[in-house]
Amino acid sequence: MPKLIHSGVEIFYTVEGKGPAVLLTHGFCGSSAMWRAQIKALQSRYTVITWDMRGHAQSSSPKRSSAYSVALSLTDMNGILDACGVERAVIGGFSLGGLISLDFYLKYPQRVNGLLLVDTGPGFRSVEAQRKWNEGAKYWARLLETHGLGAFEIEPQLSGTDTHQAIHSSTQGLALAARGGLKRSSDHVIRSIKDISVPTLVIVGANDKPFLGAADYMARKIPGSQKVVIAGAGHASNLDQPELFNRAVKKFLNNVPMR
């Protein structure tokens, strides 16, 4: 499988299928393996690109904290599109990957045909809510540093994503990713979603209570966006109900102008 190298950091990615490109990003403590059912469903009509974020699964886990940030994740995504010879793609992601997809649109709008936002949110307006989120990221980092893989058994929020499909080379890498990639220092994303001008699909599991409100908010604020609630699904709606999820995604992609 191909790897992109940025400043000595290897970024693992996969490319399957043919046709217009769809780039999918996993959530925190997950991996590109979470998208297997979507690759199978889409590869006959689309080029499906998936990747592992820094510190996750088959990508490198550098030991310096400066090697992890949202900005570097966006550079990695941009580099992967370049390596694949893709000028524009539908950019999608789950949970943290969805938020990063919004970040990517804000930095590289010329590369985005559409957005697929899965069980995710646009960040926080409230300084207090942002502070609590960052404290949570620090807590997860300490848990991973102290307990290693045992952290997934201790903290349901970690084990409740697609972790069971992920194989991580280093929990220290995950801890550094929590300190760098999860931290939020501004409300620029939530302030900017009203200006999104590409087709957008917001998907959320019916049982994903922490993100139902965020999904409603994005669907209201993003012009012309669509929202689909997946019955019988929790936080990882694409894993819980892949057939329903894939049906919604195919319908959406069929109506996205691919430039």
Side-chain angles (χ1 to χ4, degrees):
M1 293 294 182
K3 287 191 176 183
L4 179 74
I5 300 179
H6 275 164
S7 302
V9 180
E10 292 186 340
I11 306 299
F12 171 86
Y13 66 97
T14 69
V15 186
E16 303 286 349
K18 58 183 179 180
V22 180
L23 173 63
L24 299 174
T25 301
H26 62 81
F28 178 59
C29 282
S31 80
S32 55
M34 77 170 297
W35 302 113
R36 287 171 183 159
Q38 284 65 60
I39 292 172
K40 184 177 180 180
L42 299 176
Q43 63 183 350
S44 64
R45 295 189 59 184
Y46 302 96
T47 299
V48 185
I49 305 167
T50 66
W51 68 295
D52 292 339
M53 288 190 281
R54 293 167 181 241
H56 291 72
Q58 297 184 67
S59 286
S60 292
S61 296
K63 296 180 180 179
R64 59 191 189 282
S65 59
S66 60
Y68 301 84
S69 68
V70 172
L72 286 170
S73 291
L74 303 186
T75 300
D76 292 338
M77 293 167 71
N78 197 52
I80 289 169
L81 291 180
D82 286 343
C84 294
V86 171
E87 184 177 347
R88 300 176 69 99
V90 171
I91 305 296
F94 160 70
S95 198
L96 173 62
L99 181 54
I100 289 175
S101 296
L102 286 167
D103 278 304
F104 186 87
Y105 173 80
L106 295 177
K107 185 170 183 179
Y108 301 105
Q110 74 280 6
R111 304 206 75 165
V112 182
N113 280 325
L115 288 167
L116 175 60
L117 307 174
V118 182
D119 295 280
T120 191
F124 308 97
R125 283 187 180 276
S126 163
V127 172
E128 178 62 17
Q130 189 168 271
R131 184 193 67 78
K132 288 182 178 179
W133 174 264
N134 290 338
E135 285 300 316
K138 292 177 183 177
Y139 164 70
W140 290 332
R142 291 192 296 268
L143 201 64
L144 288 159
E145 289 163 347
T146 304
H147 298 281
L149 293 175
F152 300 129
E153 297 179 8
I154 296 171
E155 180 50 69
Q157 283 186 281
L158 293 177
S159 59
T161 63
D162 61 313
T163 314
H164 61 285
Q165 292 201 24
I167 301 173
H168 300 293
S169 60
S170 168
T171 52
Q172 294 303 306
L174 293 175
L176 287 169
R179 295 186 184 280
L182 276 179
K183 185 179 178 181
R184 287 280 147 177
S185 57
S186 79
D187 63 350
H188 72 284
V189 173
I190 196 168
R191 285 189 292 103
S192 301
I193 61 172
K194 69 183 188 308
D195 300 319
I196 291 174
S197 60
V198 296
T200 301
L201 177 62
V202 178
I203 299 185
V204 64
N207 301 324
D208 189 8
K209 293 181 180 180
F211 286 90
L212 289 173
D216 287 341
Y217 182 87
M218 291 189 295
R220 289 197 311 270
K221 294 294 184 179
I222 299 174
S225 62
Q226 306 168 46
K227 185 186 77 170
V228 174
V229 178
I230 305 296
H235 187 45
S237 56
N238 70 308
L239 294 173
D240 293 343
Q241 295 289 349
E243 291 187 10
L244 294 176
F245 182 93
N246 292 342
R247 189 183 308 159
V249 170
K250 285 180 179 180
K251 183 178 180 180
F252 169 69
L253 292 177
N254 284 342
N255 293 296
V256 175
M258 299 295 186
R259 293 176 281 172

